[in-house]
Amino acid sequence: AQSVAQPEDQVNVAEGNPLTVKCTYSVSGNPYLFWYVQYPNRGLQFLLKYITGDNLVKGSYGFEAEFNKSQTSFHLKKPSALVSDSALYFCAVILTKAAGNKLTFGGGTRVLVKP
Amino acid sequence: EPEVTQTPSHQVTQMGQEVILRCVPISNHLYFYWYRQILGQKVEFLVSFYNNEISEKSEIFDDQFSVERPDGSNFTLKIRSTKLEDSAMYFCASTLQGGNQPQHFGDGTRLSIL
């Protein structure tokens, strides 16, 4: 069975500092990996994805993520955090040959960027 | 940018009653999904739907649940006899293709069972 772990419930960072949100996954095949962000009372918004190729993928709002197959990780990063980045972040995985294309989510990490 | 829309935003229902949650996916999308998020817990997959049939469903999606695409635009989730533990945020999502395409989510319906 596939699973996703986000080891930190909350990450606090000062505005302007680098932001990292950690994610590790466990799947039996090749995964498609995603990051989503959720603002209060809103649905999940897609940030970026890893499918194949370059291990460093760039996404919306200056976010990027690095796929590391040996460590089965897909950490989300932003070089300089903004107060507006404060939100709930979810890592998710789809198995490449999954019939239903279901997303399996991690538990989420709340990011608080302080001015 | 096209959006997935869900109605109502909040539904309060008595235990044992039937409830229908409605979603309008992005118009040219072909794959449809329902997820739920119980307060304080992770987002969980319920069901995926393609070509007018269920592609995959989770253990949560038991006989009390059903999905339907009654016309060319709506995608509904019905819970036949609601239980207290059905209280959650329910999200609809859609995508043009399966596999590696990102799923687009609506803002959710908060279902409160009394």
Side-chain angles (χ1 to χ4, degrees):
Chain A
Q2 57 195 49
S3 65
V4 179
Q6 293 180 241
E8 300 156 317
D9 290 335
Q10 181 158 324
V11 169
N12 297 319
V13 63
E15 187 174 32
N17 281 1
L19 169 62
T20 298
V21 186
K22 295 179 181 177
C23 171
T24 59
Y25 64 91
S26 174
V27 298
S28 56
N30 293 319
Y32 296 143
L33 294 157
F34 301 82
W35 275 101
Y36 284 84
V37 60
Q38 185 181 31
Y39 297 100
N41 301 313
R42 299 299 305 275
L44 289 83
Q45 295 180 31
F46 168 74
L47 278 179
L48 51 78
K49 66 180 181 181
Y50 172 82
I51 305 302
T52 187
D54 194 350
N55 289 341
L56 185 64
V57 292
K58 295 186 184 296
S60 307
Y61 312 120
F63 284 94
E64 58 189 30
E66 185 165 12
F67 171 67
N68 187 319
K69 188 171 183 178
S70 62
Q71 296 185 5
T72 61
S73 67
F74 188 56
H75 301 329
L76 180 71
K77 299 180 182 183
K78 185 170 184 179
S80 178
L82 301 171
V83 172
S84 57
D85 294 328
S86 298
L88 190 55
Y89 291 79
F90 290 96
C91 181
V93 63
I94 292 178
L95 272 182
T96 55
K97 295 188 178 182
N101 303 309
K102 69 175 185 182
L103 282 165
T104 298
F105 286 90
T109 298
R110 188 166 302 281
V111 170
L112 181 60
V113 182
K114 297 180 180 177
Chain B
E1 185 176 328
E3 291 185 341
V4 175
T5 56
Q6 291 185 243
T7 55
S9 56
H10 191 190
Q11 174 79 47
V12 181
T13 302
Q14 292 289 329
M15 186 173 60
Q17 295 296 305
E18 175 183 287
V19 66
I20 297 176
L21 309 183
R22 304 182 189 278
C23 169
V24 179
I26 294 174
S27 62
N28 63 337
H29 283 189
L30 302 175
Y31 293 77
F32 313 111
Y33 311 84
W34 283 101
Y35 294 84
R36 79 172 185 190
Q37 184 180 30
I38 295 172
L39 188 63
Q41 298 185 23
K42 61 173 66 176
V43 178
E44 302 172 290
F45 169 79
L46 291 178
V47 66
S48 58
F49 190 86
Y50 169 71
N51 199 26
N52 280 322
E53 60 183 22
I54 291 173
S55 308
E56 186 176 359
K57 59 183 181 179
S58 70
E59 293 177 355
I60 303 167
F61 195 88
D62 61 21
D63 292 343
Q64 295 298 315
F65 290 86
S66 62
V67 289
E68 192 178 29
R69 188 156 164 79
D71 52 42
S73 59
N74 291 284
F75 180 52
T76 61
L77 173 70
K78 182 193 291 186
I79 309 175
R80 250 181 290 281
S81 178
T82 50
K83 309 188 221 16
L84 292 176
E85 55 264 37
D86 294 328
S87 295
M89 195 76 167
Y90 288 79
F91 292 106
C92 173
S94 71
T95 187
L96 177 60
Q97 300 172 2
N100 61 27
Q101 296 300 307
Q103 294 173 21
H104 297 258
F105 285 78
D107 285 342
T109 293
R110 181 169 300 284
L111 178 62
S112 299
I113 307 301
L114 304 179

